Amino acid sequence: MTDLTLDQQELEMATKWLDFTVEAFIRNIRQLRIKQTGALMASFRKQVVGAASGRLQLQLSYALYGKFVDMGVGRGMGQGIRKGDDGYDRMRNSRGQLKRRERKAKKWFSKALAYQTKRLAELMSELHGTLLISQVSDALPAQDVVVNF
């Protein structure tokens, strides 16, 4: 194991995980062709915050409309338009569906976040397990231990 303390190792791993996760999100956005203006890809902000209790907090933020794209909602009617208004009939059919565009969920976020969160938990538990094993092996006596039954 390196000379880094556990806190430094956790911080380094969390930073690398955030970088990898943002790269995976951007890869998903490109694959699903959610580019329109590129504002969603440019909106990612990531930060690792050390809490007072010694626990790490990770912050990942992005444009709000990215969530709506992931769910397949949010495009079509302006604020305040109700059924029966002129704006409603112009954009929607009698069943309430958009005439020119169909909403379709593009899962760039939810599946990737679930996988990446699970992977972060595995990496952190592996880090703590490796540290525990090294501490136990350091504490064992250098001589052979004989146990008679």
Side-chain angles (χ1 to χ4, degrees):
M1 197 144 243
T2 62
D3 294 337
L4 297 175
T5 66
L6 179 63
D7 292 338
Q8 291 170 335
Q9 290 175 349
E10 283 181 345
L11 181 66
E12 183 180 327
M13 185 176 295
T15 305
K16 287 180 181 178
W17 178 84
L18 273 174
D19 293 339
F20 186 80
T21 301
V22 169
E23 287 174 15
F25 286 156
I26 290 174
R27 194 170 40 250
N28 287 347
I29 289 170
R30 284 187 177 135
Q31 184 179 8
L32 293 170
R33 297 185 180 128
I34 310 172
K35 293 181 193 173
Q36 290 183 4
T37 63
L40 180 58
M41 287 190 284
S43 70
F44 283 100
R45 302 288 178 261
K46 56 193 180 222
Q47 183 179 8
V48 180
V49 181
S53 64
R55 291 184 167 203
L56 285 177
Q57 292 181 354
L58 308 178
Q59 291 180 345
L60 178 63
S61 59
Y62 55 90
L64 178 63
Y65 81 89
K67 190 86 167 169
F68 300 137
V69 171
D70 184 69
M71 294 184 287
V73 298
R75 192 162 90 202
M77 288 194 336
Q79 184 177 2
I81 297 177
R82 305 270 184 253
K83 192 171 188 175
D85 291 348
D86 179 46
Y88 185 89
D89 294 333
R90 230 178 338 114
M91 299 179 78
R92 297 181 175 270
N93 62 19
S94 61
R95 294 176 29 191
Q97 299 169 331
L98 286 170
K99 290 180 180 176
R100 58 190 160 97
R101 294 188 184 122
E102 184 178 323
R103 295 180 188 172
K104 195 181 286 184
K106 295 184 177 181
K107 300 286 185 185
W108 68 270
F109 172 76
S110 53
K111 288 182 181 180
L113 182 65
Y115 172 76
Q116 295 297 341
T117 304
K118 180 182 179 295
R119 185 66 186 132
L120 177 62
E122 290 171 352
L123 290 170
M124 287 295 181
S125 64
E126 183 178 319
L127 174 67
H128 286 271
T130 305
L131 180 70
L132 179 65
I133 289 172
S134 67
Q135 286 179 349
V136 168
S137 65
D138 290 343
L140 287 175
Q143 301 172 357
D144 293 337
V145 177
V146 178
V147 178
N148 294 324
F149 293 101

